[in-house]
Amino acid sequence: MAQVLEFKLPDLGEGLTEAEIVRWLVEVGDVVAIDQPVVEVETAKAMVEVPCPYGGVVTARFGEEGSELPVGAPLLTVAVGATDASSAAPGDDGAAAEEPSGGSGSGSGNVLVGYGTGAPAARRRRIRPERNTASAAPAVPAAPAAPAVVSAPSRPAPVAVAVGEVNGRQGPVAVVSPLVRRLARQHEIDLRGLTGSGPDGLILRADVDSAIRQAGQATEAATRTAAEPVVAEASTAVASPSAAGAAAPAAAERIPLRGVRGAVADKLSRSRSEIPDATCWVDADATELMAARAAMNAASGPSGGPKVSVLALLARICTAALARYPELNSTVDTAAREIVRLPSVHLGFAAQTERGLVVPVVRDAHTRNAESIGAEIARLTELARTGKLSPAQLTGGTFTLNNYGVFGVDGSTPIINHPEAAMLGVGRIMPKPWVHHGELAVRQAVQLSLTFDHRVCDGGTAGGFLRYVADCVEQPAVLLRTL
């Protein structure tokens, strides 16, 4: 007797309460194994694949791609033991899909709150829907297990039909970027009707843009065709006052604050409302720092190594400055009315991605040198660009470095990344007139700004921190004291 089990959206950790369905990985009728990923969701922190803790036949899916579900809401239902009944279905040549075994063997290790793991992944096989064979063969009495399979909570699942009707394709839409999906939704473009120009048929933004243009041209042509008789009649008739009225104003676009954008909005609003921040800034001559970096990257032989970025050098300067001014590597416990100084420096750095602003965290940055910090920054940046950062890689920071100079701006007053106590901002490094050794010269100048929580320290401490950072930028040899 088949048993229908309901799989709910699990607690993905880090206090997340909702997730957006980006892509379904299974269809109604698919056979899934224990711990097999069934849906890709986007949370406020990362994009993750959610594994199903049950093995059997998918009988229903809840939520369309692009919809948002709260934690604990039903994701899908699985008929456990339903594959025996499917063997009696006409058109299967007596072959039934084998149910994934929950016996021996190691599971995927995907631990979900409220669920267990434990079986290896198995190959998916589609159970042919009965409605497809009804016209080709007479009705066959259902096996005893069949009612249990179809008695799962029924919600419309037109996706399984639509997949087979459009371009003869089946399976999930070949789209990776949430930006492409959002663009298609905004313009009501059916992604299943597009043929991707990317690798393995991947649908790119250019494909969606082309479909939008074609749809616009078709609409414009249809409008012209429909308007021709009207124009002919208007030439022989008197225009009414209503015909000359102004067109209705366009409706304002409303964009939901959810996902990464919603998380950023909540965190920045909380920072502004809770933290009494202040900002100080200074201009620095970065010529010597750029020369030192060029010498490092030009070195070969035993002294050579991977290229060192400017951001890695600035990060190393920050860890040295925090060792001198630990007040800025702290947080405020408002409930206990205490300042908590943190023993380790977990350095966050702001990164702009297609999904929005994210802040990956370099763990134990105070124990790393510039080369190690640079390698970790490069690794986390690549994960951020592909949307594969885990929630753990986006949380737990104690201090943030914000290099907004990559956007071509000189200065900013950044908002502190709550619950941290400070953030260093770095503008663009560019040639400027500068008084050097009493003479006017062209030097590589940069503006540094420090926004800090005034509860953890006074202006003297913040000014000392910023001045030390500027001194290290202007004279990198200062760092030799702490190496």
Side-chain angles (χ1 to χ4, degrees):
M1 181 69 178
Q3 179 184 9
V4 176
L5 301 178
E6 185 180 74
F7 175 40
K8 299 179 180 180
L9 178 64
D11 181 358
L12 300 174
E14 302 296 339
L16 301 174
T17 60
E18 59 193 11
E20 179 181 347
I21 297 176
V22 175
R23 179 167 62 108
W24 281 105
L25 305 178
V26 295
E27 305 285 346
V28 173
D30 281 355
V31 176
V32 297
I34 295 175
D35 280 353
Q36 176 180 327
V38 293
V39 65
E40 188 178 70
V41 300
E42 180 182 19
T43 69
K45 297 184 181 295
M47 196 165 337
V48 296
E49 291 184 347
V50 180
C52 179
Y54 310 127
V57 179
V58 177
T59 59
R61 300 187 318 190
F62 301 100
E64 299 296 327
E65 293 179 354
S67 61
E68 198 169 61
L69 296 179
V71 170
L75 266 180
L76 50 77
T77 54
V78 177
V80 179
T83 52
D84 294 337
S86 66
S87 62
D92 276 358
D93 299 329
E98 296 181 3
E99 179 185 353
S101 172
S104 63
S106 59
S108 69
N110 295 312
V111 180
L112 303 177
V113 176
Y115 301 95
T117 61
R123 183 170 60 90
R124 288 166 42 191
R125 292 185 59 186
R126 176 174 299 282
I127 302 301
R128 184 173 301 173
E130 292 183 4
R131 61 174 177 273
N132 291 346
T133 60
S135 59
V140 178
V149 177
V150 299
S151 64
S154 59
R155 287 182 56 177
V159 180
V161 178
V163 170
E165 291 176 351
V166 180
N167 288 347
R169 294 207 310 254
Q170 292 185 351
V173 181
V175 180
V176 174
S177 171
L179 179 63
V180 174
R181 291 183 178 276
R182 189 177 301 112
L183 183 64
R185 287 199 302 269
Q186 291 173 350
H187 294 273
E188 299 181 352
I189 299 298
D190 185 3
L191 290 173
R192 299 186 185 277
L194 300 183
T195 300
S197 60
D200 299 325
L202 182 68
I203 298 177
L204 307 176
R205 178 168 182 169
D207 302 323
V208 177
D209 289 337
S210 177
I212 293 172
R213 287 194 299 271
Q214 293 177 6
Q217 293 171 359
T219 303
E220 183 179 352
T223 303
R224 282 200 304 269
T225 303
E228 287 176 359
V230 178
V231 174
E233 289 183 16
S235 62
T236 58
V238 179
S240 63
S242 60
E253 182 182 7
R254 291 180 174 269
I255 303 174
L257 276 175
R258 63 187 185 189
V260 173
R261 186 73 262 162
V264 170
D266 293 340
K267 175 159 281 195
L268 296 183
S269 298
R270 184 176 182 184
S271 178
R272 276 295 192 215
S273 62
E274 291 187 12
I275 299 178
D277 58 351
T279 302
C280 54
W281 58 89
V282 65
D283 292 334
D285 180 2
T287 305
E288 296 300 326
L289 180 69
M290 300 304 290
R293 173 178 176 262
M296 291 179 194
N297 293 339
S300 60
S303 60
K307 301 295 184 182
V308 178
S309 66
V310 175
L311 187 62
L313 293 175
L314 292 170
R316 180 63 185 90
I317 292 173
C318 284
T319 58
L322 289 171
R324 286 176 170 253
Y325 300 92
E327 298 91 335
L328 294 171
N329 192 58
S330 61
T331 186
V332 176
D333 186 340
T334 54
R337 294 184 60 83
E338 294 176 342
I339 297 174
V340 183
R341 290 190 182 176
L342 304 170
S344 301
V345 177
H346 302 312
L347 186 69
F349 63 96
Q352 191 69 37
T353 69
E354 286 188 352
R355 298 176 62 234
L357 178 67
V358 294
V359 184
V361 177
V362 177
R363 302 286 170 183
D364 299 315
H366 62 292
T367 64
R368 300 172 180 261
N369 56 29
E371 186 176 294
S372 173
I373 292 176
E376 184 66 0
I377 288 176
R379 185 183 73 87
L380 293 172
T381 299
E382 182 59 28
L383 291 175
R385 287 173 179 166
T386 57
K388 295 180 179 179
L389 284 171
S390 67
Q393 293 168 323
L394 290 166
T395 54
T398 62
F399 185 91
T400 297
L401 175 61
N402 188 355
N403 182 21
Y404 44 74
V406 296
F407 301 116
V409 298
D410 296 326
S412 174
T413 54
I415 300 176
I416 296 174
N417 187 21
H418 185 279
E420 297 170 10
M423 177 186 290
L424 179 70
V426 182
R428 60 179 175 172
I429 301 175
M430 61 180 301
K432 287 184 179 180
W434 195 272
V435 177
H436 181 64
H437 296 317
E439 295 183 358
L440 188 63
V442 177
R443 306 286 287 179
Q444 298 289 325
V446 62
Q447 185 179 99
L448 307 171
S449 62
L450 176 70
T451 297
F452 64 98
D453 187 340
H454 226 314
R455 296 173 297 179
V456 304
C457 69
D458 295 326
T461 300
F465 175 93
L466 187 59
R467 187 62 257 172
Y468 178 80
V469 170
D471 289 344
C472 290
V473 169
E474 294 183 337
Q475 304 175 54
V478 173
L479 279 176
L480 294 176
R481 290 179 176 271
T482 60
L483 291 181

